[in-house]
Amino acid sequence: MAGLLSDLVKHWRLLPLIIVLGLGNGLPYGYHFSVINSSSSFVKGFINQTWIGRYGSAVPKDTVTLLWSIAISVYSVGGLLGSLAAGYLSRRFGKRWCHRLTDLLGITASLCLGLCKIAGSYEIIFVGRFLYGFTLGLAINIYVQYLGEISPTKLRGFVNTTAPIFVTTGKLFGQIVGLREVLGTETLWPLMLSLCGFTELLHFILMNFYPETPPYLILVKKDQDRSLKAMHRIWGPGNYQSEMDQILAEQEMRKKSKILSVIELVKEPSLRWQFYIVIVITFTLQMSGISAIFYYANSVFLTAGLPPEKIPYISLGIGCFELMAVLLCSVLIERYGRKVLLLGSYGFMATMLGGLTVTLSLQGWAHWIPYCSAVFIFLFIFFYGTGPGIYSPCEKCKVAFKCS
């Protein structure tokens, strides 16, 4: 801990950049993960009002469900496309340019979401959600790569763990502004959906004062002088010859190594187990149920029989629990290792889902059973945060997936 603090003091110029990156990338990613849940009733009501204004009758319940599901799922479609484009765009134009692009797209998406009520069109919500999905799918990949490349070797582990902390903080922020005492009202919900446009505008302005990453300047632009200047700009004055030598060694290794296609990667025996690990961890992370819990938490709590007026505050407690878990995991990860935390967390998460299934089935037996459902959801979120929720891109293989 003392060594970490001394390195942070030495490289204090890195801290403002970490905060800027978190506000412009990690915070919006987590925010839009949770705020759609807080705004669900308002968006459904807006869809119904717009439908009545157009067709003179109330929208059928199944149609509302379908349109709401489109608003949720189109975000994931955009995210997939943005993630697929991240590799090409970052290699072709650099990560700093990609940050500017994501900021402009995010601001455009915020305007779509914020002006939907004035325009009287729920279709604009679909456009805004798709653009935000593409933006954040691209941004989160560029974000974690940029973090890794601007970090001195001794601080790389610490800097990488800031990404999930900002993402989790964004989820909590989305739950806070969704309260009826803040922006969760019939009048202000468009502002709630578009609020992160301000952080992306701030990020767009401040990133003009920061350089491209040192590895990109050497490995792609072949410019050692600019790379050294970038190190001094980001880390402060000092002798960074060892970091420079490490990047140059990586450059030589890349010259000797062959870039594999997907088929060649699958057929390569020496990389087969790494490939299996990537597939398994990515699959289990996506199928863990965390997305359903966050997107449909209000519906789950209503189904469980909890009072509707208390649900926003219960959702806020979920965000607090996850943030506590992520902070705890950042401490435990060096003591117990990633494998123990992953296996233990998934085991407890499965147990919590089993308990939730039972309590939802028996909720009519006693008045206190719905609160047991809430407890199981809280614990599920907590164990997610202590395991799969903390993982950032692998430093060794340099690919953007959540693994150890």
Side-chain angles (χ1 to χ4, degrees):
M1 181 62 70
L4 175 62
L5 292 176
S6 64
D7 288 332
L8 286 175
V9 171
K10 179 181 177 181
H11 302 291
W12 64 270
R13 292 189 183 184
L14 187 61
L15 295 178
L17 179 54
I18 292 173
I19 295 173
V20 170
L21 291 169
L23 291 177
N25 297 279
L27 188 77
Y29 182 82
Y31 182 84
H32 281 278
F33 202 80
S34 65
V35 77
I36 193 65
N37 185 50
S38 304
S39 62
S40 60
S41 60
F42 303 116
V43 175
K44 290 177 182 177
F46 173 67
I47 292 174
N48 189 50
Q49 293 172 6
T50 305
W51 193 280
I52 293 174
R54 291 179 183 177
Y55 307 110
S57 61
V59 60
K61 185 177 179 181
D62 291 343
T63 304
V64 171
T65 303
L66 174 62
L67 293 175
W68 174 241
S69 300
I70 292 174
I72 291 178
S73 58
V74 74
Y75 176 83
S76 301
V77 175
L80 174 62
L81 296 177
S83 297
L84 293 175
Y88 170 76
L89 291 177
S90 63
R91 289 192 302 269
R92 179 68 177 83
F93 301 104
K95 297 170 181 63
R96 185 167 174 261
W97 182 90
C98 288
H99 277 303
R100 292 175 173 177
L101 174 63
T102 58
D103 290 332
L104 292 175
L105 290 174
I107 293 169
T108 304
S110 292
L111 290 174
C112 290
L113 296 174
L115 298 175
C116 63
K117 193 173 182 180
I118 296 175
S121 172
Y122 58 78
E123 291 87 355
I124 295 181
I125 297 179
F126 302 158
V127 175
R129 287 281 294 172
F130 174 81
L131 281 177
Y132 246 127
F134 182 89
T135 299
L136 297 176
L138 172 61
I140 201 66
N141 283 280
I142 303 300
Y143 171 41
V144 292
Q145 292 177 48
Y146 195 92
L147 280 178
E149 293 186 10
I150 63 170
S151 308
T153 305
K154 294 181 180 179
L155 290 176
R156 190 162 296 160
F158 166 78
V159 173
N160 281 337
T161 59
T162 62
I165 291 175
F166 273 103
V167 170
T168 306
T169 303
K171 293 178 185 178
L172 179 60
F173 182 51
Q175 291 159 344
I176 291 174
V177 301
L179 297 176
R180 59 177 176 269
E181 292 86 355
V182 189
L183 297 180
T185 65
E186 189 66 36
T187 305
L188 297 176
W189 66 265
L191 177 59
M192 173 174 61
L193 286 178
S194 62
L195 191 61
C196 273
F198 296 104
T199 65
E200 286 161 340
L201 177 60
L202 177 65
H203 181 257
F204 178 79
I205 295 172
L206 294 179
M207 280 303 294
N208 290 303
F209 299 98
Y210 287 102
E212 185 56 81
T213 65
Y216 178 82
L217 293 173
I218 291 183
L219 300 177
V220 178
K221 295 298 184 180
K222 315 298 183 184
D223 194 333
Q224 295 188 30
D225 292 335
R226 286 180 61 193
S227 178
L228 188 59
K229 291 179 181 178
M231 291 180 184
H232 287 126
R233 176 67 185 86
I234 298 172
W235 301 337
N239 182 7
Y240 301 114
Q241 189 58 47
S242 60
E243 282 79 4
M244 183 71 72
D245 292 340
Q246 184 178 358
I247 298 174
L248 292 173
E250 182 179 346
Q251 185 181 39
E252 292 299 320
M253 184 176 64
R254 287 190 176 190
K255 292 179 180 178
K256 298 177 182 179
S257 60
K258 177 185 177 182
I259 298 178
L260 301 178
S261 66
V262 176
I263 300 299
E264 290 172 332
L265 175 63
V266 174
K267 293 181 178 180
E268 176 58 45
S270 63
L271 299 175
R272 189 163 296 163
W273 277 105
Q274 293 93 318
F275 181 73
Y276 291 159
I277 291 172
V278 172
I279 296 297
V280 170
I281 292 182
T282 303
F283 179 79
T284 54
L285 184 66
Q286 296 301 319
M287 299 300 293
S288 65
I290 189 64
S291 298
I293 290 292
F294 270 105
Y295 285 148
Y296 300 102
N298 285 2
S299 300
V300 172
F301 289 140
L302 284 173
T303 303
L306 296 173
E309 65 276 7
K310 294 183 179 180
I311 288 178
Y313 303 97
I314 296 174
S315 298
L316 178 60
I318 288 178
C320 294
F321 243 58
E322 186 182 7
L323 181 59
M324 290 168 51
V326 169
L327 294 174
L328 177 63
C329 185
S330 64
V331 176
L332 296 178
I333 197 168
E334 296 300 331
R335 180 177 178 83
Y336 296 102
R338 293 162 173 78
K339 182 178 179 180
V340 171
L341 290 179
L342 264 180
L343 294 177
S345 295
Y346 276 127
F348 283 115
M349 287 166 64
T351 304
M352 296 306 108
L353 288 178
L356 179 62
T357 303
V358 173
T359 54
L360 288 176
S361 302
L362 303 178
Q363 62 181 358
W365 284 33
H367 69 279
W368 48 265
I369 290 183
Y371 293 94
C372 293
S373 300
V375 170
F376 282 125
I377 291 177
F378 268 68
L379 292 176
F380 177 86
I381 296 294
F382 180 81
F383 289 121
Y384 171 81
T386 56
I390 193 68
Y391 290 95
S392 55
C394 181
E395 296 174 15
K396 294 182 179 179
C397 51
K398 303 289 186 182
V399 278
F401 61 89
K402 291 189 174 183
C403 73
S404 54

